[in-house]
């Protein structure tokens, strides 16, 4: 009987009666496999493809609940797809992809694209300066051509005549205002002199017994004239204030609108002339865009010119009505006050001031007290 050759321990693979691995080796294999898997991925969530020991066929070992040793039931073969919990655990480990319910991979983050580019303030200012320079050049050329008699200008004869009358009237009203101010200054000095003269006569009336009555009469007369002069001075100052408001505020505001109208007229004529020159030239692919742009600018300035002309017409109408009303009242006041003063009618003079609701300032009311002077 031949001696049996010793068996190699590495070739000994213990198997059961049905050809399956022993349970102890099976648990050791599962334990090693769990250690080799990433953290958070369970064994029950993995498919393992293995080859048979004989290499004749290929099978799939499905991970699942293994039966107990004592159970005679065979293990259930069920395919378990990756669950949402496993996907969330994978995502928590720094995965760059998100697996949605549809199964398509999407990137978490990407470059943000802005729809509109950020405007550069310097370029905007440069564009405004360019437009202003071009507009100034066109207007300057139009003014020079008008003064040299080469260019044409738009003229509204009726409106221009009203503007000329208004400017002429303003000069005349300013002259009346200066003369009234001169009269007020001179009357104030005269009233001040009369008051001092009345005080001097009253003092001499007390000290000169033989001329007591004569000095007394003159003192009363000068004081009465000073009082009437103060009343007349109040009426004249009220007249000056009203005319000054009319000339330097109401008329000046209308003339400011007239200046804006004239500027709009110059711009309108400048762009009109520019459009006419382009229309006289050739029409080709290069000039047609320029003509269209010039037409648009001309239309814009035409609307501005029409608006300013309408504004000036309305302001001139209201100014004329206001001027007539104001000057009528002030001229009546001035006449009645002067006539009553020189007629010596003190009652009529005071009645004139009441008629126009003029309140006279008490002499010395504006003077500072002796405490304020200290």
């Amino acid at each position: 009987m031949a001696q049996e050759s010793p068996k190699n321990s590495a070739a000994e693979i213990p198997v059961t009666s049905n050809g399956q691995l022993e349970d102890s080796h099976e648990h050791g294999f599962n334990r090693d496999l769990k250690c080799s898997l990433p953290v958070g991925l369970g064994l029950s969530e993995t498919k393992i493809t293995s080859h048979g020991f004989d290499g004749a066929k290929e099978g799939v070992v499905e991970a699942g609940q293994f039966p107990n040793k004592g159970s005679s039931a065979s293990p259930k073969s069920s395919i378990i797809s990756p669950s949402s919990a496993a996907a969330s655990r994978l995502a928590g480990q720094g995965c760059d992809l998100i697996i949605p319910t549809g199964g398509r991979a999407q990137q978490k983050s990407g470059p943000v694209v802005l729809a509109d580019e950020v405007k550069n303030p310097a370029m905007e200012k440069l564009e405004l300066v360019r437009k202003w320079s071009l507009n100034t050049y066109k207007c300057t050329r139009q003014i020079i051509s008008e003064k040299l008699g080469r260019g044409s200008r738009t003229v509204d004869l009726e409106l221009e005549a009203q503007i000329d009358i208004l400017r002429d009237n303003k000069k005349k009203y300013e002259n009346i205002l200066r003369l009234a101010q001169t009269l007020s200054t001179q009357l104030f000095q005269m009233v001040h002199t009369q008051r001092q003269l009345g005080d001097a006569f009253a003092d001499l009336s007390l000290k000169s017994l033989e001329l007591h009555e004569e000095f007394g009469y003159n003192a009363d007369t000068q004081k009465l004239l000073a009082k009437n002069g103060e009343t007349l001075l109040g009426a004249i100052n009220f007249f000056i204030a009203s005319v000054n408001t009319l000339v330097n505020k109401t008329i000046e505001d209308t003339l400011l609108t007239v200046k804006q109208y004239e500027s709009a007229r110059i711009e309108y004529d400048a762009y009109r002339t520019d459009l006419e020159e382009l229309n006289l030239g050739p029409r080709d692919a290069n000039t047609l865009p320029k003509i269209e742009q010039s037409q648009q600018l001309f239309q814009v300035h035409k609307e501005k010119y029409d608006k300013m002309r309408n504004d000036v017409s309305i302001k001139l109408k209201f100014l004329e009505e206001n001027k007539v009303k104001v000057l009528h009242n002030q001229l009546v006041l001035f006449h009645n006050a002067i006539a009553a003063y020189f007629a010596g009618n003190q009652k009529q003079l005071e009645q004139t001031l009441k008629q126009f609701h003029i309140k006279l300032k008490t002499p010395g009311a504006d003077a500072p007290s002796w405490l304020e002077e200290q």
Side-chain angles (χ1 to χ4, degrees):
M1 183 175 179
Q3 187 178 0
E4 295 180 359
S5 61
K7 296 181 180 179
N8 191 357
S9 61
E12 292 181 359
I13 304 176
V15 295
T16 60
S17 59
N18 59 359
Q20 294 181 351
L21 289 175
E22 202 173 28
D23 289 343
S24 60
H25 292 278
E26 180 181 354
H27 292 303
F29 174 74
N30 290 336
R31 184 174 61 251
D32 296 338
L33 182 60
K34 289 180 180 180
C35 294
S36 63
L37 288 176
V39 179
L41 184 60
L43 182 61
S44 61
E45 299 166 346
T46 309
K47 293 182 180 179
I48 305 172
T49 302
S50 62
H51 297 277
F53 294 105
D54 56 355
K57 59 181 180 179
E58 186 179 276
V60 178
V61 178
E62 302 292 342
Q65 298 293 333
F66 289 94
N68 297 329
K69 288 184 178 181
S71 176
S72 61
S74 61
K76 297 179 181 179
S77 62
S78 60
I79 300 174
I80 302 176
S81 302
S83 64
S84 59
S88 63
R89 286 197 295 271
L90 286 175
Q93 295 178 1
C95 185
D96 292 336
L97 297 178
I98 299 175
I99 303 176
T101 57
R104 289 180 298 176
Q106 293 183 354
Q107 196 171 359
K108 273 188 177 181
S109 62
V112 179
V113 180
L114 297 179
D116 298 331
E117 295 183 357
V118 180
K119 296 182 179 179
N120 190 355
M123 295 301 295
E124 291 182 355
K125 291 182 180 179
L126 185 62
E127 182 66 18
L128 292 176
V129 171
R130 188 189 69 82
K131 291 181 179 180
W132 175 83
S133 302
L134 182 61
N135 185 72
T136 303
Y137 164 73
K138 291 180 180 294
C139 294
T140 304
R141 185 183 63 176
Q142 177 67 25
I143 293 173
I144 293 176
S145 62
E146 289 179 3
K147 290 184 177 180
L148 295 177
R150 298 176 182 176
S152 60
R153 55 169 296 182
T154 304
V155 179
D156 189 333
L157 296 178
E158 182 180 358
L159 190 61
E160 293 290 339
Q162 295 177 1
I163 293 173
D164 291 340
I165 292 174
L166 175 62
R167 286 173 173 164
D168 186 60
N169 287 338
K170 183 175 183 290
K171 293 179 180 178
K172 295 178 180 179
Y173 296 155
E174 288 175 344
N175 185 39
I176 290 176
L177 187 60
R178 285 193 296 268
L179 294 175
Q181 290 173 345
T182 303
L183 178 61
S184 175
T185 302
Q186 293 174 350
L187 181 61
F188 176 78
Q189 294 175 352
M190 185 182 71
V191 170
H192 181 67
T193 303
Q194 288 175 339
R195 189 181 299 109
Q196 289 181 340
L197 187 59
D199 293 339
F201 283 148
D203 184 60
L204 290 174
S205 175
L206 296 175
K207 296 180 179 179
S208 301
L209 298 178
E210 64 279 4
L211 298 174
H212 172 72
E213 294 182 358
E214 289 78 0
F215 280 123
Y217 294 150
N218 283 278
D220 294 338
T221 301
Q222 294 301 321
K223 288 180 180 180
L224 180 61
L225 290 175
K227 182 179 179 180
N228 292 340
E230 290 175 355
T231 305
L232 177 62
L233 190 61
I236 294 176
N237 288 336
F238 185 78
F239 171 82
I240 291 173
S242 300
V243 175
N244 181 65
T245 301
L246 175 66
V247 174
N248 294 323
K249 290 186 178 180
T250 308
I251 296 180
E252 189 64 30
D253 178 70
T254 304
L255 290 177
L256 180 61
T257 307
V258 170
K259 291 180 181 179
Q260 295 175 354
Y261 157 75
E262 292 176 346
S263 299
R265 197 275 307 166
I266 292 174
E267 290 180 352
Y268 165 72
D269 285 336
Y271 284 91
R272 176 182 57 81
T273 303
D274 191 24
L275 180 61
E276 290 175 354
E277 292 176 355
L278 290 175
N279 286 329
L280 293 176
R283 292 176 174 268
D284 51 19
N286 295 328
T287 58
L288 284 178
K290 294 181 180 180
I291 293 175
E292 184 178 357
Q293 183 181 8
S294 180
Q295 179 67 35
Q296 293 176 357
L297 293 174
F298 166 75
Q299 188 65 30
V300 170
H301 288 86
K302 182 178 184 300
E303 293 176 358
K304 181 181 178 182
Y305 167 72
D306 293 338
K307 179 180 179 301
M308 293 306 303
R309 180 175 59 181
N310 186 41
D311 291 346
V312 170
S313 300
I314 293 174
K315 282 202 170 186
L316 286 175
K317 179 180 179 180
F318 282 109
L319 175 63
E320 186 65 23
E321 295 176 357
N322 188 30
K323 181 191 69 174
V324 171
K325 182 179 179 181
V326 170
L327 288 181
H328 171 75
N329 294 333
Q330 297 304 317
L331 290 174
V332 171
L333 165 67
F334 191 83
H335 171 267
N336 293 343
I338 292 291
Y341 173 78
F342 284 99
N345 192 341
Q346 181 181 1
K347 184 177 180 179
Q348 184 180 355
L349 184 60
E350 293 177 353
Q351 186 65 30
T352 301
L353 268 66
K354 290 180 180 179
Q355 179 183 354
F356 291 92
H357 308 285
I358 301 174
K359 295 182 179 181
L360 298 178
K361 294 182 180 180
T362 304
D366 296 335
S369 64
W370 66 272
L371 289 174
E372 296 174 347
E373 293 178 353
Q374 297 298 324

